[in-house]
Amino acid sequence: MLLEWMKHQRGCEIRSARSGKAAVEISDTFKPDVLITDYFLEDDVTGVDVIEHVQAAGARVRCVLVTGRLRNALLEGLHRIHGVPILTKPV
């Protein structure tokens, strides 16, 4: 992942996950300053679900949601993560 490589070059501690379940598991032990997640992950847990989990745990994490498709299902779920910036691909 290019983003992971770039952050590693700056000395940041990084964790990455392909699935939403893995991201949720990581977030239970690793408390980042920033969470960047795609909406569509490799399972039925979305990026919105991951952000909600992190926020519900009381973590003070800046979150960014990335997506290549702004479709109705996604737009309807955005009210659940008020104030989270959305980047559309290509970034």
Side-chain angles (χ1 to χ4, degrees):
M1 298 174 88
L2 179 61
L3 184 57
E4 188 172 331
W5 177 82
M6 290 170 54
K7 292 292 186 181
H8 179 71
Q9 294 299 313
R10 293 182 175 217
C12 298
E13 192 173 346
I14 305 269
R15 300 289 185 279
S16 63
R18 291 191 168 280
S19 73
K21 286 183 181 182
V24 166
E25 289 174 10
I26 290 170
S27 75
D28 288 339
T29 57
F30 179 68
K31 305 301 180 198
D33 295 320
V34 178
L35 167 67
I36 301 171
T37 182
D38 199 302
Y39 179 83
F40 296 102
L41 302 170
E42 290 188 355
D43 57 11
D44 59 344
V45 178
T46 69
V48 171
D49 298 327
V50 174
I51 290 170
E52 280 187 309
H53 178 81
V54 168
Q55 291 177 336
R60 302 191 109 198
V61 177
R62 293 177 191 94
C63 299
V64 177
L65 184 69
V66 180
T67 185
R69 295 176 262 171
L70 283 175
R71 55 186 192 183
N72 289 341
L74 170 61
L75 293 173
E76 290 171 9
L78 294 183
H79 72 280
R80 297 173 14 211
I81 55 168
H82 179 70
V84 173
I86 301 169
L87 297 177
T88 55
K89 296 177 194 175
V91 177

